[in-house]
Amino acid sequence: MATGVLAAVKKQGNQSVRFVNPPAVLASATVVGPMEGKGPLGRFFDTVLEDTHYGEKCWEKTESKILKESMQYAIKNAGLDESQIDFCMSSDLLNQCTASSMALRECSVPHLGLYSACASFAEAMVVSGMAVDGGFAGKTVVAGSSHHDTAERQFRFPTELGHQRPPTAQWTATAAGAAVVGTPDSEAPCPRITFATVGRVIDMGIKSPFELGAAMAPAAAETLKAHFQDLQRAPDYYDLILTGDLGMVGSDILMKLLTDQEIDLSGRHNDCGLLLYDREAEDVHAGGSGLGCSAAVFSGYILKAMRDGTFRRVLFAATGALHSPTSYKQGESIPSVCHAVAMEWL
Amino acid sequence: MATGVLAAVKKQGNQSVRFVNPPAVLASATVVGPMEGKGPLGRFFDTVLEDTHYGEKCWEKTESKILKESMQYAIKNAGLDESQIDFCMSSDLLNQCTASSMALRECSVPHLGLYSACASFAEAMVVSGMAVDGGFAGKTVVAGSSHHDTAERQFRFPTELGHQRPPTAQWTATAAGAAVVGTPDSEAPCPRITFATVGRVIDMGIKSPFELGAAMAPAAAETLKAHFQDLQRAPDYYDLILTGDLGMVGSDILMKLLTDQEIDLSGRHNDCGLLLYDREAEDVHAGGSGLGCSAAVFSGYILKAMRDGTFRRVLFAATGALHSPTSYKQGESIPSVCHAVAMEWL
């Protein structure tokens, strides 16, 4: 047997990998709720629901439905059908990732289920990138969703309670995003995944599920620092460094943490949670959050903005808070993770 | 840019992948509860707990602790330290996979969180195999856990209730297993992952969380059939075809489903849920289950039995029931999945 000769030739630094034949994002699709459709990015989303039920009798079924439709539309937008997709990598925020499982049972594509909370869409791109560049798949679909009302009642309080939310709270998006990642059939330039940085689990002791931005900011700082070190790149290599979803509070903390380490993102940083809503008009407190937020902002806005030339190099660093209602009630602090993918127009 | 030339050269058939330089399982470790230690496989497990608390004040913390220790011991058994492990792929059955997150926050290894319920350990081997054979990682650690009391109170009823379990119910194992998967440093033969078959999500309409074997058997049948078709192999290629965790009821259904399709596993099939306990003496009804069951049976018994020559070719096909307590209460049936990895002594 060959031993060692091919070991980790694409590993770069401590946490990053390099894609030798960078997988392309061939197409994408988004389905979002009415609030998200009214926000500043509304015109970038493919389907905007008229209400948060979408004809289903419970929000969990709605979440699964928008996740399924985002996948179906992404595959269709790529000019493909399910039989041409090798694998699906999907996730959501429901316990046991049931939005994904219910969506996938109506789909014939083999499924690798993932979970990194709101960092799962970026994680799916990492795993998909490895599958495609590793030669295991030609085309894959990555997908992620969240629903405001399923997340609130699962992680915090049912929305019917009318519980008052503190200013540090973020608004979980009702949204699903999906993208087809694979080897393109033509030489035409397109958005490609060139590098990925896999996050470590970081826990700085924040315990409140209303302060997820603060809980996740250290994970974002750690992964961004690792990315720049591993790739020997400065932040100014990128047109946009997009975290998701730190919101206003978490973004401020991230800037402080990075400034302390002499990493300057100024003028290039934005956050999916700050882009998705008009914070004042939509009363979302510190900003948007939820797996669907980063999935839809990336699959809707970012990919379209790369295609129209607004951005050529984007570092997409999605963050996830890895707590559960049980861990919270047991007094545990909130572990967090951030996975980053470098997108380049090549 | 290179386009298409490397597309999916390692994809085999509809659902399978071939590892060109098959990743090796370099070492493993298990930590199991007292019942599991008293069972027929007790002598194969590295650490057997004296009680199900293991010094922690709640079972969730216990589960996280045994998962963390199984990873630490596996890395140590491979003669490595954390800094030599590129990535961890881990999962558990707690909501939001918190056993993994709590374990990983005390570990410096970058983490890709997975979720396929009790099929997650096999899924971790698939993803790890792609990372290693794809050249993205030299060494990885894969891990999975479950705890009887955390699973019962989350998925069914708190054990303190003394709820009577029907004969079709399975006993969720208190167990964690971990393995180091990577490129070996020597030419010596060892257990290697040669192929993997990624499962589709299958749902045949079973709704009871006390009938998980019946819910998962069709997924196992579908993945095994795909595996034999994709690889053009007959079941008799393998010394052992090990499902996990169908128990007695699910195993019987699997045999019926495969016989109907003229696939004969007789004499070669066993199930992690049937191996782990003495069903009569330990009163586990239809057998064992839980992510920790397949993780520990594989990491403890199977790998050691491959090293001592009992088995040379093992097809490990782990099954997962992808429901949640919420989906159950909302009247949903139980989607299931089965991921298979072919282990060969090479």
Side-chain angles (χ1 to χ4, degrees):
Chain A
M1 297 303 304
T3 53
V5 289
L6 281 178
V9 292
K10 302 171 191 170
K11 183 83 187 289
Q12 183 127 354
N14 287 330
Q15 293 178 233
S16 303
V17 296
R18 178 173 61 95
F19 297 112
V20 174
N21 292 290
V25 180
L26 302 168
S28 64
T30 47
V31 182
V32 305
M35 256 182 76
E36 292 71 19
K38 286 187 195 122
L41 301 183
R43 67 193 168 91
F44 293 101
F45 300 130
D46 302 308
T47 303
V48 177
L49 306 184
E50 289 182 10
D51 61 61
T52 58
H53 295 277
Y54 201 20
E56 297 295 329
K57 65 182 177 182
C58 63
W59 288 309
E60 285 75 13
K61 289 185 198 288
T62 309
E63 182 174 344
S64 189
K65 187 174 177 177
I66 63 173
L67 181 63
K68 181 182 72 183
E69 291 189 355
S70 71
M71 285 191 273
Q72 289 172 334
Y73 296 152
I75 293 168
K76 190 179 170 195
N77 288 344
L80 301 170
D81 61 45
E82 278 182 15
S83 69
Q84 296 169 284
I85 305 292
D86 293 309
F87 303 113
C88 172
M89 292 79 169
S90 172
S91 190
D92 58 88
L93 298 185
L94 297 182
N95 291 341
Q96 284 70 51
C97 303
T98 49
S100 294
S101 301
M102 304 298 164
L104 267 294
R105 68 183 172 186
E106 296 172 31
C107 169
S108 63
V109 182
H111 182 229
L112 293 168
L114 307 178
Y115 189 74
S116 288
C118 304
S120 300
F121 190 81
E123 184 192 0
M125 296 187 67
V126 177
V127 174
S128 165
M130 288 184 184
V132 172
D133 187 41
F136 302 101
K139 309 273 194 293
T140 66
V141 63
V142 298
S145 69
S146 57
H147 190 295
H148 179 76
D149 300 277
T150 65
E152 286 306 306
R153 71 176 165 194
Q154 181 178 281
F155 286 104
R156 284 162 291 257
F157 298 98
T159 50
E160 295 92 331
L161 269 180
H163 187 271
Q164 192 167 9
R165 305 163 67 248
T168 54
Q170 292 171 244
W171 188 271
T172 307
T174 298
V180 174
V181 175
T183 307
D185 298 320
S186 85
E187 299 274 349
C190 58
R192 290 180 184 256
I193 313 170
T194 53
F195 289 88
T197 303
V198 180
R200 294 169 173 158
V201 177
I202 306 290
D203 188 334
M204 298 300 282
I206 301 285
K207 291 192 172 186
S208 167
F210 293 107
E211 294 189 20
L212 297 184
M216 296 188 293
E222 210 269 350
T223 294
L224 289 174
K225 184 183 170 195
H227 180 84
F228 298 130
Q229 278 185 345
D230 289 348
L231 274 62
Q232 294 289 303
R233 272 183 187 171
D236 65 6
Y237 182 87
Y238 296 101
D239 305 321
L240 173 68
I241 295 165
L242 181 71
T243 51
D245 306 306
L246 298 177
M248 180 58 77
V249 176
S251 292
D252 285 349
I253 296 171
L254 173 66
M255 288 305 138
K256 176 75 172 69
L257 291 170
L258 289 179
T259 302
D260 287 350
Q261 301 187 61
E262 298 184 346
I263 296 171
D264 179 15
L265 306 191
S266 57
R268 332 193 156 265
H269 174 258
N270 215 323
D271 184 83
C272 296
L274 295 174
L275 286 167
L276 186 61
Y277 300 109
D278 180 331
R279 283 201 310 129
E280 297 302 318
E282 297 189 284
D283 194 25
V284 295
H285 296 61
S289 70
L291 174 44
C293 177
S294 58
V297 170
F298 183 85
S299 303
Y301 172 55
I302 298 300
L303 289 174
K304 288 177 186 175
M306 288 189 79
R307 289 192 187 279
D308 75 14
T310 308
F311 306 119
R312 290 298 185 183
R313 294 166 171 177
V314 175
L315 182 58
F316 173 54
T319 52
L322 302 170
H323 66 305
S324 78
T326 305
S327 70
Y328 164 66
K329 287 170 196 152
Q330 289 177 342
E332 290 282 2
S333 52
I334 300 174
S336 297
V337 74
C338 173
H339 301 303
V341 288
M343 298 295 308
E344 303 189 52
W345 184 263
L346 294 173
Chain B
M1 296 301 303
T3 54
V5 289
L6 282 177
V9 292
K10 301 172 190 169
K11 182 84 187 289
Q12 184 128 351
N14 287 329
Q15 294 177 236
S16 303
V17 296
R18 178 173 61 95
F19 298 112
V20 174
N21 291 292
V25 180
L26 302 169
S28 65
T30 48
V31 181
V32 305
M35 258 183 76
E36 293 71 18
K38 285 186 196 123
L41 301 183
R43 66 192 168 91
F44 293 101
F45 300 130
D46 302 307
T47 304
V48 178
L49 307 184
E50 289 183 10
D51 61 61
T52 58
H53 294 278
Y54 200 20
E56 297 295 329
K57 66 183 177 182
C58 64
W59 287 310
E60 285 75 13
K61 289 184 198 287
T62 309
E63 183 175 343
S64 189
K65 186 174 176 178
I66 64 174
L67 181 63
K68 181 181 71 181
E69 291 189 354
S70 72
M71 286 191 272
Q72 289 172 336
Y73 297 153
I75 293 169
K76 190 178 170 195
N77 288 345
L80 301 170
D81 61 45
E82 279 183 15
S83 69
Q84 294 168 286
I85 304 292
D86 292 310
F87 303 113
C88 172
M89 292 79 169
S90 172
S91 191
D92 57 88
L93 298 184
L94 296 183
N95 290 342
Q96 283 73 48
C97 302
T98 49
S100 294
S101 301
M102 303 298 163
L104 267 295
R105 70 182 171 186
E106 296 172 31
C107 168
S108 62
V109 181
H111 182 228
L112 293 167
L114 307 176
Y115 190 74
S116 287
C118 304
S120 300
F121 191 81
E123 184 193 0
M125 295 186 70
V126 177
V127 174
S128 165
M130 289 184 183
V132 172
D133 188 40
F136 302 102
K139 309 274 192 295
T140 66
V141 63
V142 298
S145 69
S146 58
H147 189 296
H148 179 76
D149 301 277
T150 67
E152 286 306 306
R153 71 175 166 195
Q154 180 178 281
F155 286 104
R156 284 162 293 257
F157 298 98
T159 49
E160 295 91 333
L161 269 178
H163 187 270
Q164 193 167 11
R165 306 162 70 245
T168 55
Q170 293 171 242
W171 187 272
T172 307
T174 298
V180 174
V181 175
T183 307
D185 297 318
S186 86
E187 298 275 348
C190 57
R192 289 179 185 256
I193 313 171
T194 53
F195 289 89
T197 302
V198 180
R200 294 170 173 157
V201 177
I202 306 291
D203 188 336
M204 298 301 281
I206 301 286
K207 292 192 172 186
S208 166
F210 293 106
E211 295 190 18
L212 297 184
M216 297 189 291
E222 210 270 349
T223 294
L224 289 174
K225 184 183 170 195
H227 180 83
F228 298 131
Q229 279 184 344
D230 289 347
L231 274 62
Q232 295 290 301
R233 273 183 184 170
D236 64 5
Y237 181 86
Y238 295 102
D239 305 321
L240 172 68
I241 295 165
L242 182 70
T243 51
D245 307 305
L246 299 177
M248 181 57 78
V249 176
S251 293
D252 284 351
I253 296 171
L254 172 67
M255 288 304 139
K256 176 76 173 68
L257 290 170
L258 290 179
T259 302
D260 287 352
Q261 302 187 60
E262 298 183 345
I263 297 171
D264 179 14
L265 305 191
S266 57
R268 326 188 161 270
H269 174 258
N270 215 322
D271 183 81
C272 296
L274 295 174
L275 286 168
L276 185 60
Y277 301 108
D278 179 332
R279 286 202 307 128
E280 298 302 317
E282 297 188 284
D283 194 26
V284 295
H285 296 64
S289 70
L291 174 45
C293 177
S294 59
V297 170
F298 183 86
S299 302
Y301 172 54
I302 298 301
L303 289 174
K304 289 178 185 174
M306 288 189 79
R307 290 192 187 278
D308 74 12
T310 308
F311 306 120
R312 289 299 186 183
R313 294 166 171 177
V314 175
L315 182 59
F316 173 54
T319 53
L322 303 170
H323 65 305
S324 78
T326 305
S327 71
Y328 164 67
K329 287 171 197 152
Q330 289 177 343
E332 291 281 2
S333 52
I334 300 175
S336 296
V337 75
C338 174
H339 302 302
V341 289
M343 298 296 307
E344 303 189 54
W345 184 265
L346 295 173

